[in-house]
PDB file of all heavy atoms in Angstrom:
ATOM      1  N   GLN A   4     -87.227 -93.685-235.726  1.00  0.00           N
ATOM      2  CA  GLN A   4     -87.504 -94.942-236.464  1.00  0.00           C
ATOM      3  C   GLN A   4     -88.501 -95.849-235.765  1.00  0.00           C
ATOM      4  O   GLN A   4     -89.491 -96.342-236.464  1.00  0.00           O
ATOM      5  CB  GLN A   4     -86.252 -95.788-236.616  1.00  0.00           C
ATOM      6  CG  GLN A   4     -86.339 -97.065-237.386  1.00  0.00           C
ATOM      7  CD  GLN A   4     -84.989 -97.723-237.554  1.00  0.00           C
ATOM      8  OE1 GLN A   4     -84.004 -97.510-236.833  1.00  0.00           O
ATOM      9  NE2 GLN A   4     -84.966 -98.641-238.579  1.00  0.00           N
ATOM     10  N   GLN A   6     -90.865 -94.789-233.756  1.00  0.00           N
ATOM     11  CA  GLN A   6     -92.137 -94.117-233.971  1.00  0.00           C
ATOM     12  C   GLN A   6     -92.675 -94.342-235.172  1.00  0.00           C
ATOM     13  O   GLN A   6     -94.007 -94.553-235.357  1.00  0.00           O
ATOM     14  CB  GLN A   6     -91.894 -92.563-233.718  1.00  0.00           C
ATOM     15  CG  GLN A   6     -93.191 -91.773-233.751  1.00  0.00           C
ATOM     16  CD  GLN A   6     -94.234 -92.235-232.667  1.00  0.00           C
ATOM     17  OE1 GLN A   6     -93.943 -92.407-231.632  1.00  0.00           O
ATOM     18  NE2 GLN A   6     -95.522 -92.315-233.156  1.00  0.00           N
ATOM     19  N   VAL A   8     -92.474 -96.991-237.118  1.00  0.00           N
ATOM     20  CA  VAL A   8     -93.037 -98.385-237.115  1.00  0.00           C
ATOM     21  C   VAL A   8     -94.400 -98.347-236.338  1.00  0.00           C
ATOM     22  O   VAL A   8     -95.350 -98.921-236.759  1.00  0.00           O
ATOM     23  CB  VAL A   8     -92.045 -99.371-236.416  1.00  0.00           C
ATOM     24  CG1 VAL A   8     -92.706-100.757-236.142  1.00  0.00           C
ATOM     25  CG2 VAL A   8     -90.791 -99.468-237.212  1.00  0.00           C
ATOM     26  N   ALA A  12     -97.991 -99.274-237.915  1.00  0.00           N
ATOM     27  CA  ALA A  12     -98.846-100.307-237.211  1.00  0.00           C
ATOM     28  C   ALA A  12    -100.274 -99.708-236.990  1.00  0.00           C
ATOM     29  O   ALA A  12    -101.225-100.351-237.229  1.00  0.00           O
ATOM     30  CB  ALA A  12     -98.124-100.785-236.024  1.00  0.00           C
ATOM     31  N   GLU A  21    -111.908-100.439-239.092  1.00  0.00           N
ATOM     32  CA  GLU A  21    -113.024 -99.883-239.894  1.00  0.00           C
ATOM     33  C   GLU A  21    -113.563-101.147-240.683  1.00  0.00           C
ATOM     34  O   GLU A  21    -114.891-101.225-240.818  1.00  0.00           O
ATOM     35  CB  GLU A  21    -112.483 -98.894-240.948  1.00  0.00           C
ATOM     36  CG  GLU A  21    -112.244 -97.541-240.135  1.00  0.00           C
ATOM     37  CD  GLU A  21    -113.376 -97.012-239.412  1.00  0.00           C
ATOM     38  OE1 GLU A  21    -114.477 -96.964-239.991  1.00  0.00           O
ATOM     39  OE2 GLU A  21    -113.237 -96.696-238.410  1.00  0.00           O
ATOM     40  N   MET A  22    -112.798-102.014-241.275  1.00  0.00           N
ATOM     41  CA  MET A  22    -113.384-103.066-242.052  1.00  0.00           C
ATOM     42  C   MET A  22    -114.009-104.126-241.112  1.00  0.00           C
ATOM     43  O   MET A  22    -115.281-104.534-241.579  1.00  0.00           O
ATOM     44  CB  MET A  22    -112.227-103.892-242.708  1.00  0.00           C
ATOM     45  CG  MET A  22    -111.609-103.119-243.939  1.00  0.00           C
ATOM     46  SD  MET A  22    -110.190-104.052-244.494  1.00  0.00           S
ATOM     47  CE  MET A  22    -111.031-105.365-245.481  1.00  0.00           C
ATOM     48  N   GLY A  28    -120.202-104.942-237.014  1.00  0.00           N
ATOM     49  CA  GLY A  28    -120.770-103.991-236.052  1.00  0.00           C
ATOM     50  C   GLY A  28    -119.770-103.738-234.920  1.00  0.00           C
ATOM     51  O   GLY A  28    -118.728-104.429-234.907  1.00  0.00           O
ATOM     52  N   ALA A  35    -112.868-105.902-230.662  1.00  0.00           N
ATOM     53  CA  ALA A  35    -112.133-105.720-229.419  1.00  0.00           C
ATOM     54  C   ALA A  35    -110.706-106.205-229.566  1.00  0.00           C
ATOM     55  O   ALA A  35    -109.915-105.557-228.973  1.00  0.00           O
ATOM     56  CB  ALA A  35    -112.932-106.660-228.328  1.00  0.00           C
ATOM     57  N   MET A  41    -104.452-101.901-230.749  1.00  0.00           N
ATOM     58  CA  MET A  41    -104.162-100.493-230.934  1.00  0.00           C
ATOM     59  C   MET A  41    -103.783 -99.903-229.504  1.00  0.00           C
ATOM     60  O   MET A  41    -102.925 -98.993-229.525  1.00  0.00           O
ATOM     61  CB  MET A  41    -105.413 -99.765-231.464  1.00  0.00           C
ATOM     62  CG  MET A  41    -105.704-100.123-232.856  1.00  0.00           C
ATOM     63  SD  MET A  41    -107.369 -99.666-233.505  1.00  0.00           S
ATOM     64  CE  MET A  41    -107.181 -97.865-233.570  1.00  0.00           C
ATOM     65  N   LYS A  46     -99.756 -97.504-225.872  1.00  0.00           N
ATOM     66  CA  LYS A  46     -98.998 -97.748-224.679  1.00  0.00           C
ATOM     67  C   LYS A  46     -97.428 -97.576-224.975  1.00  0.00           C
ATOM     68  O   LYS A  46     -96.619 -96.890-224.290  1.00  0.00           O
ATOM     69  CB  LYS A  46     -99.256 -98.890-223.994  1.00  0.00           C
ATOM     70  CG  LYS A  46     -98.718 -99.020-222.535  1.00  0.00           C
ATOM     71  CD  LYS A  46     -99.050-100.341-221.823  1.00  0.00           C
ATOM     72  CE  LYS A  46    -100.264-101.015-222.257  1.00  0.00           C
ATOM     73  NZ  LYS A  46    -100.391-102.391-221.457  1.00  0.00           N
ATOM     74  N   GLY A  49     -96.126 -94.243-225.501  1.00  0.00           N
ATOM     75  CA  GLY A  49     -96.099 -93.368-224.296  1.00  0.00           C
ATOM     76  C   GLY A  49     -97.418 -92.614-224.183  1.00  0.00           C
ATOM     77  O   GLY A  49     -97.440 -91.619-223.408  1.00  0.00           O
ATOM     78  N   GLU A  53    -104.522 -92.391-223.596  1.00  0.00           N
ATOM     79  CA  GLU A  53    -105.243 -92.845-224.753  1.00  0.00           C
ATOM     80  C   GLU A  53    -105.433 -94.338-224.713  1.00  0.00           C
ATOM     81  O   GLU A  53    -106.464 -95.047-225.110  1.00  0.00           O
ATOM     82  CB  GLU A  53    -104.657 -92.377-226.013  1.00  0.00           C
ATOM     83  CG  GLU A  53    -104.780 -90.912-226.342  1.00  0.00           C
ATOM     84  CD  GLU A  53    -104.004 -90.515-227.615  1.00  0.00           C
ATOM     85  OE1 GLU A  53    -104.313 -91.031-228.620  1.00  0.00           O
ATOM     86  OE2 GLU A  53    -103.052 -89.674-227.444  1.00  0.00           O
ATOM     87  N   ALA A  54    -104.360 -95.052-224.350  1.00  0.00           N
ATOM     88  CA  ALA A  54    -104.307 -96.547-224.169  1.00  0.00           C
ATOM     89  C   ALA A  54    -105.395 -96.964-223.303  1.00  0.00           C
ATOM     90  O   ALA A  54    -106.035 -97.959-223.416  1.00  0.00           O
ATOM     91  CB  ALA A  54    -102.990 -97.040-223.908  1.00  0.00           C
ATOM     92  N   LEU A  55    -105.382 -96.231-222.064  1.00  0.00           N
ATOM     93  CA  LEU A  55    -106.227 -96.660-221.084  1.00  0.00           C
ATOM     94  C   LEU A  55    -107.733 -96.561-221.588  1.00  0.00           C
ATOM     95  O   LEU A  55    -108.603 -97.422-221.302  1.00  0.00           O
ATOM     96  CB  LEU A  55    -106.092 -95.718-219.851  1.00  0.00           C
ATOM     97  CG  LEU A  55    -106.621 -96.117-218.568  1.00  0.00           C
ATOM     98  CD1 LEU A  55    -106.171 -97.448-218.097  1.00  0.00           C
ATOM     99  CD2 LEU A  55    -106.389 -95.053-217.538  1.00  0.00           C
ATOM    100  N   GLN A  58    -108.481 -99.461-223.728  1.00  0.00           N
ATOM    101  CA  GLN A  58    -108.672-100.632-223.047  1.00  0.00           C
ATOM    102  C   GLN A  58    -110.064-100.622-222.316  1.00  0.00           C
ATOM    103  O   GLN A  58    -110.686-101.848-222.273  1.00  0.00           O
ATOM    104  CB  GLN A  58    -107.623-100.777-221.862  1.00  0.00           C
ATOM    105  CG  GLN A  58    -106.218-101.231-222.477  1.00  0.00           C
ATOM    106  CD  GLN A  58    -105.205-101.197-221.325  1.00  0.00           C
ATOM    107  OE1 GLN A  58    -104.863-100.252-220.715  1.00  0.00           O
ATOM    108  NE2 GLN A  58    -104.601-102.428-221.196  1.00  0.00           N
ATOM    109  N   ARG A  66    -117.455-107.568-222.284  1.00  0.00           N
ATOM    110  CA  ARG A  66    -118.575-107.806-221.312  1.00  0.00           C
ATOM    111  C   ARG A  66    -119.783-107.928-222.146  1.00  0.00           C
ATOM    112  O   ARG A  66    -120.565-108.869-221.703  1.00  0.00           O
ATOM    113  CB  ARG A  66    -118.688-106.643-220.428  1.00  0.00           C
ATOM    114  CG  ARG A  66    -117.656-106.753-219.158  1.00  0.00           C
ATOM    115  CD  ARG A  66    -117.792-105.651-218.206  1.00  0.00           C
ATOM    116  NE  ARG A  66    -117.115-105.910-216.993  1.00  0.00           N
ATOM    117  CZ  ARG A  66    -116.685-104.996-216.129  1.00  0.00           C
ATOM    118  NH1 ARG A  66    -116.917-103.662-216.442  1.00  0.00           N
ATOM    119  NH2 ARG A  66    -116.035-105.305-215.107  1.00  0.00           N
ATOM    120  N   LEU A  80    -109.621-107.178-217.546  1.00  0.00           N
ATOM    121  CA  LEU A  80    -109.656-106.474-216.139  1.00  0.00           C
ATOM    122  C   LEU A  80    -108.214-106.439-215.621  1.00  0.00           C
ATOM    123  O   LEU A  80    -107.779-105.494-215.064  1.00  0.00           O
ATOM    124  CB  LEU A  80    -110.643-107.182-215.272  1.00  0.00           C
ATOM    125  CG  LEU A  80    -112.135-106.912-215.464  1.00  0.00           C
ATOM    126  CD1 LEU A  80    -112.799-107.926-214.683  1.00  0.00           C
ATOM    127  CD2 LEU A  80    -112.445-105.404-215.160  1.00  0.00           C
ATOM    128  N   GLY A  84    -106.206-103.150-214.909  1.00  0.00           N
ATOM    129  CA  GLY A  84    -105.574-102.882-213.587  1.00  0.00           C
ATOM    130  C   GLY A  84    -104.120-102.481-213.631  1.00  0.00           C
ATOM    131  O   GLY A  84    -103.746-101.577-212.993  1.00  0.00           O
ATOM    132  N   ARG A  89     -99.727 -98.565-213.509  1.00  0.00           N
ATOM    133  CA  ARG A  89     -98.558 -97.883-214.078  1.00  0.00           C
ATOM    134  C   ARG A  89     -98.706 -96.388-214.208  1.00  0.00           C
ATOM    135  O   ARG A  89     -97.808 -95.568-214.161  1.00  0.00           O
ATOM    136  CB  ARG A  89     -98.258 -98.555-215.469  1.00  0.00           C
ATOM    137  CG  ARG A  89     -97.563 -99.763-215.416  1.00  0.00           C
ATOM    138  CD  ARG A  89     -97.051-100.277-216.729  1.00  0.00           C
ATOM    139  NE  ARG A  89     -98.159-100.593-217.648  1.00  0.00           N
ATOM    140  CZ  ARG A  89     -98.911-101.813-217.573  1.00  0.00           C
ATOM    141  NH1 ARG A  89     -98.648-102.579-216.627  1.00  0.00           N
ATOM    142  NH2 ARG A  89     -99.875-101.977-218.329  1.00  0.00           N
ATOM    143  N   GLY A  91    -100.316 -94.795-212.028  1.00  0.00           N
ATOM    144  CA  GLY A  91    -100.483 -94.099-210.694  1.00  0.00           C
ATOM    145  C   GLY A  91    -101.927 -93.798-210.278  1.00  0.00           C
ATOM    146  O   GLY A  91    -102.183 -92.987-209.502  1.00  0.00           O
TER     147      GLY A  91
END
Side-chain angles (χ1 to χ4, degrees):
Q4 184 178 14
Q6 183 61 42
V8 171
E21 288 303 315
M22 291 177 73
M41 292 169 74
K46 192 180 335 180
E53 290 177 59
L55 194 59
Q58 286 178 298
R66 279 185 167 152
L80 286 166
R89 280 187 295 283

